[in-house]
């Protein structure tokens, strides 16, 4: 594959791309419909959804859509899903060294970031935090949705847990979006999550260990997620 004379390598499969954007869309829908429940500043959102009842209904639809990608990817491309899980649970010295160099790279300096896996250490951390905050939000949300099935103390804990999960997930997502669309060093990655491929030079510079495996196998498709 070539684009503007650049050699490209396959990065994400179609099901991974669909699952990612379904998850992202559901996140923003949940965020939007949840905002007026926190502050009057966003009361206009109720108008958009036809009143508080409408916004609450769409919030519940968003919650179902938020977990749907997991079911979908398990059916459509389980290999990529389990590869992701295995990667984010595997931490070696090059992952820890990443964080020592990352601030320099983030602020435009020339950092000596050690070769990274298919998912670099920042993406592994992003993934783990996304999973943790999703469990917090889903678990507490489920209790709030069906309070009749839970004890008074569980319901009491669900509300602050939902707020903490929300605050954490927004911080994580803001950083993730900035690195994917704003930061000059990493915004090339967006093509991987839209068209499914990235320039070979980017793979080599940002995911060196994965790139070396690709070269060794001689078949990029074998290692794609
Ligand atoms: C406008 C919004 C978003 C953009 C532009 C975006 C962009 C991207 C890109 C480009 C990648 C692939 C990075 C790579 O090559 O490895 C990615 C991966 C990922 N995204 Fe998103 N994303 C968005 C929203 C979200 C949201 C809302 C979530 C979760 C709630 C999320 C969770 C993830 C996870 C867990 C990964 C895999 C790990 C990683 O690469 O960090 N994304 N995203």
């Amino acid at each position: 594959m070539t684009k503007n004379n650049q050699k490209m390598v396959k990065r994400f499969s179609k099901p991974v791309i669909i699952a990612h954007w379904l998850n992202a869309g559901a996140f923003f829908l949940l965020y939007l419909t949840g905002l007026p429940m926190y502050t009057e500043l966003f009361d206009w959102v109720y108008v958009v959804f036809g009143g508080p009842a409408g916004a609450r209904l769409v919030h519940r639809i968003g919650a179902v859509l938020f977990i749907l990608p997991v079911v979908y990817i398990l059916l459509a491309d389980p290999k990529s899903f389990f590869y992701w899980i295995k990667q984010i649970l595997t931490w070696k010295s090059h992952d820890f060294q990443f964080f020592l160099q990352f601030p320099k790279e983030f602020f435009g300096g020339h950092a000596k970031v050690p070769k990274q896996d298919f998912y670099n250490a920042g993406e592994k951390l992003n993934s783990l935090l996304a999973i943790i905050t999703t469990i917090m939000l889903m678990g507490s949300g489920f209790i709030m949705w069906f309070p009749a099935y839970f004890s008074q103390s569980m319901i009491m804990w669900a509300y602050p847990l939902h707020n903490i999960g929300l605050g954490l997930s927004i911080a994580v997502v803001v950083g993730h979006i900035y690195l994917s669309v704003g930061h000059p060093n990493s915004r090339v990655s967006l093509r991987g999550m839209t068209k499914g491929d990235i320039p070979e030079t980017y793979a080599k510079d940002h995911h060196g260990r994965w790139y070396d495996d690709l070269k060794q196998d001689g078949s990029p498709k074998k290692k794609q997620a």
Side-chain angles (χ1 to χ4, degrees):
M1 264 173 286
T2 58
K3 195 207 169 233
N4 302 333
N5 289 330
Q6 269 187 317
K7 235 177 144 187
M8 308 296 282
V9 290
K10 177 101 180 134
R11 182 138 176 93
F12 293 112
S13 68
K14 272 227 169 73
V16 169
I17 295 172
I18 293 171
H20 174 269
W21 291 115
L22 185 59
N23 178 249
F27 179 88
F28 291 117
L29 192 63
L30 282 165
Y31 183 52
L32 184 69
T33 49
L35 273 176
M37 298 182 207
Y38 285 98
T39 161
E40 286 171 5
L41 275 178
F42 289 92
D43 270 357
W44 56 268
V45 175
Y46 282 148
V47 181
V48 174
F49 291 97
R56 282 198 190 101
L57 174 69
V58 177
H59 197 71
R60 282 157 176 75
I61 294 170
V64 176
L65 289 178
F66 197 54
I67 39 170
L68 212 60
V70 180
V71 179
Y72 166 69
I73 201 74
L74 278 170
L75 294 171
D77 187 1
K79 222 170 127 195
S80 291
F81 179 78
F82 289 113
Y83 179 71
W84 175 57
I85 296 292
K86 193 176 168 208
Q87 280 255 311
I88 65 175
L89 294 176
T90 308
W91 287 76
K92 296 195 176 142
S93 67
H94 63 268
D95 293 304
F96 297 106
Q97 283 163 23
F98 173 93
F99 293 108
L100 296 177
Q101 297 297 328
F102 180 71
K104 215 170 168 189
E105 164 117 358
F106 186 80
F107 291 110
H110 274 291
K112 280 200 181 120
V113 179
K115 284 185 178 181
Q116 296 293 297
D117 294 318
F118 184 94
Y119 293 102
N120 68 38
E123 292 169 346
K124 289 182 184 182
L125 184 66
N126 174 54
S127 301
L128 288 169
L129 288 171
I131 292 171
I132 291 168
T133 52
T134 298
I135 292 171
M136 283 169 81
L137 287 164
M138 286 292 149
S140 54
F142 192 75
I143 295 172
M144 288 150 75
W145 192 349
F146 302 103
Y149 298 99
F150 298 94
S151 68
Q152 200 56 40
S153 69
M154 281 177 91
I155 297 165
M156 225 176 72
W157 276 104
Y159 284 84
L161 205 66
H162 210 68
N163 293 356
I164 296 167
L166 172 72
L168 251 176
S169 67
I170 288 172
V172 173
V173 166
V174 166
H176 175 65
I177 295 176
Y178 173 64
L179 287 168
S180 308
V181 294
H183 199 284
N185 282 359
S186 51
R187 62 179 170 221
V188 174
S189 68
L190 190 59
R191 195 184 149 93
M193 211 32 116
T194 49
K195 307 259 185 221
D197 59 8
I198 51 168
E200 191 177 29
T201 47
Y202 183 81
K204 192 175 172 188
D205 291 348
H206 290 253
H207 303 279
R209 290 166 65 91
W210 169 58
Y211 178 78
D212 289 347
D213 285 349
L214 287 183
K215 288 280 115 179
Q216 233 174 19
D217 286 6
S219 154
K221 286 201 172 88
K222 267 191 190 164
K223 294 270 175 177
Q224 82 195 31

